Amino acid sequence: MDQLSQQHGNDSVFRVDKFVVPSEAREEIIAKVRMTHELLRQQKGFVRDFLLEQFSGPGEFNLVTIVEWESQAAVDNVVPIVKAAHEHIAFNPQETIARLGVRADIANYHRIPGA
């Protein structure tokens, strides 16, 4: 376990968003993800994030984002903040995903103790 993970213990919550993104939608989706992650990085309880793009292998998902939060409470606190920010700029993630033909698998995860 790296030093940052030890610092935050086993209470961390990981938001993992996996996407199948058509090539013609790539730039718009990445721009929206970056915009959202800029907001997330400013929130209390944020630990770190990753934006990953598949470059080899047979996997279905070609874009994956991971955000680590200190706790479930941090996640609960950030949800209305992100929703309000998206509404303020008239950004609807579900509509954008549907319009661009993106498929998403979105869930929260926790670390398995001892792994």
Side-chain angles (χ1 to χ4, degrees):
M1 193 182 317
D2 65 27
Q3 186 177 6
L4 188 59
S5 295
Q6 289 175 353
Q7 200 175 1
H8 295 285
N10 289 329
D11 291 337
S12 289
V13 172
F14 297 84
R15 167 70 180 247
V16 180
D17 297 355
K18 299 176 285 190
F19 302 99
V20 177
V21 180
S23 58
E24 61 274 9
R26 180 185 178 277
E27 293 306 316
E28 183 174 347
I29 289 296
I30 288 175
K32 298 297 188 190
V33 168
R34 285 185 172 148
M35 173 194 69
T36 300
H37 281 236
E38 286 176 22
L39 174 64
L40 298 178
R41 289 182 194 115
Q42 299 170 26
Q43 303 309 309
K44 185 176 186 323
F46 172 87
V47 177
R48 60 183 161 181
D49 65 337
F50 300 95
L51 171 54
L52 308 170
E53 186 170 31
Q54 180 184 21
F55 69 91
S56 69
E60 176 182 18
F61 300 101
N62 58 341
L63 189 67
V64 177
T65 67
I66 302 171
V67 179
E68 181 178 359
W69 295 96
E70 288 179 353
S71 65
Q72 184 60 49
V75 174
D76 295 343
N77 289 336
V78 79
V79 168
I81 293 168
V82 171
K83 183 177 180 188
H86 285 170
E87 287 174 358
H88 180 72
I89 61 168
F91 170 54
N92 181 323
Q94 293 78 19
E95 180 277 326
T96 301
I97 285 171
R99 176 176 52 82
L100 295 174
V102 171
R103 286 192 303 112
D105 177 38
I106 296 170
N108 291 335
Y109 295 80
H110 60 86
R111 187 182 306 268
I112 296 172

